[in-house]
Amino acid sequence: MEVGGKILTGAAATVALALVGHYATGDGYIAGLENAAQTEMTAQGMEGVKVSLPRDPLSRKAVLDGDVSDDVKQKALNAVSAITGSSAVWAGSDLVAGSKTDVGDEDTDPAATAAVTNCQSGVDKAIEGEKLSFRSGSAYISPASNKLLDKIAAALKPCSGLAIAVGGHTDDNGNAQVNKILSQERADRVRAGLVERGIPENLVTATGFGAEKPLATGGGPDADAQNRRIEFKVQATNKNEINDAKSQQEG
């Protein structure tokens, strides 16, 4: 069994990497992301928004369209970007994910937003088209996947001051509690691998969700393959948040 952040109402979290022993990122994976994003639009009452992800070449950069207000467009962009773990744009518009959407929100620092976007894009590029795998039933990372961790760490090193959330996920086969424990162990192992490669320990968190937050619904090998994954989410942070993250890891 293979496993895997910002979680949105009624849908999956940011997905940056499928973890499957026999399943590489491909059309099925992109279709799953597209379906999850479209489901989230419905869950948030944005039925008029259409989400599409390119197939030629395959990409997690979403393109949105629909006859809705600019405010709804921005909310949809931010929601889809969080699910796909990549950028999102509105067709025929200069709107992109990450802008301020609600009155009363603190002003967004353009430089901070750009830094997060650039770093997330670097991570996305490092893992695109590849897979991370574990030995069945364990948290042992294969030698090939260790090479992929090398690439992810290299992409993160220029991201000074930014946090990275590692989320572990499984399919729903087997015992739920065992799955959750295994997903945490694997997320912890990935976190440790990033720290060993020079990513500051207090900037990396790891959370195992088991099968609680599936990307694909229904049973079968394809759905299971999409639900077994690791998610990497780059986030802005401040000093207090860094200290909180460190405390959580030490607790």
Side-chain angles (χ1 to χ4, degrees):
M1 192 185 329
E2 312 299 332
V3 300
K6 179 176 180 182
I7 305 300
L8 300 175
T9 304
T14 295
V15 177
L17 184 60
L19 300 178
V20 191
H22 63 281
Y23 183 83
T25 299
D27 185 74
Y29 178 64
I30 295 300
L33 289 176
E34 188 175 80
N35 181 65
Q38 196 67 63
T39 299
E40 178 67 8
M41 295 301 94
T42 301
Q44 293 199 25
M46 294 184 281
E47 292 89 348
V49 177
K50 178 178 175 57
V51 182
S52 61
L53 276 70
R55 300 299 204 279
D56 187 18
L58 292 171
S59 173
R60 288 184 289 113
K61 182 177 181 179
V63 179
L64 281 64
D65 200 0
D67 186 14
V68 295
S69 68
D70 284 349
D71 186 52
V72 172
K73 288 179 181 179
Q74 192 64 69
K75 289 180 179 179
L77 284 167
N78 292 347
V80 171
S81 177
I83 291 169
T84 63
S86 186
S87 57
V89 298
W90 197 273
S93 169
D94 58 0
L95 288 174
V96 296
S99 299
K100 179 179 174 182
T101 60
D102 297 311
V103 175
D105 285 350
E106 294 182 2
D107 290 338
T108 300
D109 181 348
T113 299
V116 170
T117 300
N118 290 339
C119 188
Q120 184 72 62
S121 295
V123 174
D124 294 345
K125 184 176 181 180
I127 63 180
E128 191 166 10
E130 298 192 56
K131 61 184 179 181
L132 184 62
S133 61
F134 296 92
R135 180 179 293 165
S136 180
S138 81
Y140 174 83
I141 302 176
S142 70
S145 292
N146 273 313
K147 292 181 180 179
L148 182 52
L149 277 180
D150 290 341
K151 293 174 62 177
I152 295 170
L156 287 169
K157 283 183 179 179
C159 307
S160 178
L162 296 179
I164 179 75
V166 179
H169 301 263
T170 70
D171 59 35
D172 61 359
N173 295 313
N175 181 276
Q177 187 59 32
V178 171
N179 284 341
K180 190 165 186 178
I181 292 171
L182 182 59
S183 70
Q184 182 66 58
E185 290 176 347
R186 290 178 169 177
D188 286 339
R189 184 64 62 88
V190 172
R191 175 183 180 271
L194 293 177
V195 172
E196 289 170 0
R197 290 163 174 79
I199 307 305
E201 182 177 7
N202 62 330
L203 291 178
V204 190
T205 59
T207 306
F209 297 98
E212 295 175 357
K213 301 181 183 297
L215 174 62
T217 58
D222 288 343
D224 289 345
Q226 292 179 56
N227 291 332
R228 296 190 296 260
R229 67 198 189 276
I230 284 283
E231 298 173 349
F232 293 95
K233 175 65 176 179
V234 178
Q235 301 169 318
T237 188
N238 58 40
K239 185 175 181 180
N240 290 334
E241 289 171 338
I242 292 172
N243 289 336
D244 287 346
K246 184 176 181 180
S247 296
Q248 292 169 11
Q249 292 297 333
E250 292 177 345

